[in-house]
Amino acid sequence: MLERMALTSGTKLGPYEIQSPLGAGGMGEVYRAKDSRLDRTVAIKVLNSKLAANTELRARFEREAKIISQLQHAHICVLHDVGHHEGADFLVMEFLEGESLADRLKKGRLAMEQLLKIATEIADALEKAHRAGVVHRDLKPGNVMLTKSGAKLLDFGLAKPLGATVATSDGSGSSASVVAAALTQTIPTPSPVSPLSAAGTVIGTVQYMSPEQIQGNEADARSDIFAFGLMVFEMAAGKRAFEGKTQASIVGQILAFDPPAVTTLRPDMPLALDQLIRNCLEKDPDERIQTAHDLKLSLQGIAVEQAGRKAAAAVALPSGHRRERLIWSAAVVAAIVLGAVAAMWLYHPSQTAPPIRAAINPPANATLSLIGDFAGPPVLSPDGSSLAFVAVGADGNNAIWVRPLNAPEAHVLAGTDTATFPFWSWDSRSLGFFAEDKLKTINVNSGSTFTVCDARFGRGGSWGPGGIILFSPQTPAPIMRVSSSGGTAVAVTKNDAPSVSSHRWPFILPDGKHFLYLAININDPASDAVHYASVDGSADRLLFQSRSNAVYSNGFLLFVRSGQLMAQPFDPANGTLSGEAQSLASSVIEDLSTWHIDVSASTNGLLIFGSGGTGDEQLVWVDRNGKQIGTVAGKMANVTAAKLSPQGDRIALEIDNGIGAHDIWVLDVVRGVQTRLTFGPIQNSNPVWSPDGKWIAYSSIEKNNDTKLYRKPSDGSGAAELLHSDDHDQVGSDWSQDGKYLIYARGHVGILDYEIWALPLQGDHKPWLVVPRAEKSIAYEARLSPDGRWLAYTSKESGNLEVYVVAFHGGEGKWQVSTNGGTAPQWSRDGKELYYAHQANRSIMAVPVKEANEGLQFGAAQSIASDAKSSTPGVYDVAPDGQKILLDLVAQQVSPSVTVMTNFTAALKK
């Protein structure tokens, strides 16, 4: 058995060879060692020989390993391994080269830039520890190593999981007990003073202990914040906040006195930093800064302010070079804004500072989802520190990405696959989103997700103080209220269906008592309006007519009017508008497919918006390489469907009139003449050609919200003929080549419960179910093969929208054709190819098809028309010869980036 004594050079603990001692603490000795397996230098801590026999302390040693292993962070010392060798228990840790902060402070106070950098890194490490449920409880300069890669926080020897207690010698639970072993670097064992642990060891180092620790009360994350304040004081002043000849006198000062203002010791000290230290050193934990996250953000804001002052000072140069240097300085500032994306505005900007515009590009190999049903317009956190958005990755899956505005890159949040419409919590720590027919939340730092309640077809949410979430669960629904911790959702608005079809895009106002939302009236689109209502459901009134939602920031209501982003003074306490609306930007995206504006603003004057708009549309012919080879008629607007006739001489168009009503038109390809086929009143959509080209079937939503299937002569010469009507939504998709069946999707508007049915156009006309809705899925966009044997359709049963094929009349066989996202399948006229739209890269895919063993065999998908990016990939058709593709192109595409505007109120007339 290994003798319990100081280890000498050459001693081996398993694969680790001791090289030299590094120091000792109350519960262990630390050595420099070599890992023979990986040929690297490590630090090894061996349980103190005097304490190893104590069963409780051995258990604490093991708990330390579990605690430290949770804390994988750039500014926390890494735990590599845990071992036991011939009776010796030990930890293997990252070997840190550098000097401790304590040794650095012996040389005097730190330069302000260095101080802020180190303090921010320590706060970042504390935030990680606290979010993992671990309190350090012995934070001091000796437990911070300064390395080339930055500050490293170590010695969680007194760390205690939040809320945990340990039995004392008398069997009671003590919150002032050592729970885990010390992870130390050249730190002497402190002398015992009250309070003592069960083992008689000081809980912390006296000079950096909080009042509650001294008094023997529970230590929590705020105790670490007190110690953090003492450290920052020392870094700034070059001396400790509390000093005395005895430990008793130091204890008395901590309990009864406040340290002097640092500005009296260091006049160049930023007032904001002096105030931060004071807020950390409040005697009452409830009066302190409450989280390390807030500490980090405050320090980042102070650092940016200091950098700005330094840059401003550099502008004041001799007159001979002033203009040249001023231009260069301006270029540097612009580069900082573009690279850090307005990190300077993490805290309130000067109201006199001019607004600055910059752009945020999407992450590599991903596409921003700015518009559409499966979109997620970018949203700013309320504190302006981070941006969240939905992007479609290279695999075709959409997920939430987050970009801290002081960082160069965004990162994806695991566990948010298929997410739509994210929204921030009021404290900027979490996000709400919709996925898998549920309303969910995710903690941005820990990555933990939580399912709140059902939400079949979410249309926006807002998360206010007290954990209240307002959300729209599906299209035909009122605004609902639910706790972020789950429970039963209750309605807070009254949806008087069928006169009003949807309440959506709630926005909780700063008082937490009122909110905005958009009410959509499908029977009268001109009456769509933004409302002002109470969270408790007691009040609700119309603010103004609008076809899209509104948001609030810094005393202004922000909304879009004719592509212009407008700002109008607004009192959120009583819901009153005043003054005139002023334009902030033009060509701002107003997504009429969801009645939503791509605009978001923080509480500190930061504003983002998506740029582009729909622009002029034109139907064009492209070859299979995507080269444009012709145009179809002139410029158009708001084309939502384009279907070639079987003969290829005409195109059935579905066109939005701009206020939400749709009608069917027929375009003669040769003459370029458009003929209107339907005339309202509300929605006439999804045109389907008969195989002989004489008829067009379509879906019609009427004023009573009934959805019916009609057909009408394609030349417009006769009256519409009712084909089918029931109490469900019906969306026509194909007409069999033998003329016997009309294929359609049947479900409920906005609920996404569609399944595929066939309507016989002869005999008893009784529809039959072809593809039932799978669990948590939908099935729609069905197209029959030319021989009528196979049905291709779009389904979400795998979690993503993909294209599948089944036997039309039943039987064995089902194939998933697309692999990374696919919609809008179509067959070639000879049935030897199957096409579909690839949403991620906005291209058309072609898949070879052949008969095999009484089934089908599909080849590898090939991208066609890849050089012509369709604005709406689902709006396409393939000519009868398979060599030309009809695409709907937009002259002005939606910008792939997001515009950032700082201090937007400065751009408004006072």
Side-chain angles (χ1 to χ4, degrees), residues 354-379:
I356 300 174
R357 296 194 186 201
I360 300 177
N361 293 316
N365 300 319
T367 304
L368 284 178
S369 292
L370 292 177
I371 60 175
D373 286 349
F374 306 101
V379 285

Side-chain angles (χ1 to χ4, degrees), residues 153 157 216 378 490 518 594 767 770 897:
L153 183 58
V490 297
L518 177 69
T594 58
V770 183
S897 61

Side-chain angles (χ1 to χ4, degrees), residues 274-287:
D274 184 63
Q275 186 60 50
L276 179 142
I277 294 172
R278 288 176 176 272
N279 291 341
C280 289
L281 298 182
E282 291 286 349
K283 308 297 183 188
D284 184 350
D286 290 337
E287 298 300 319

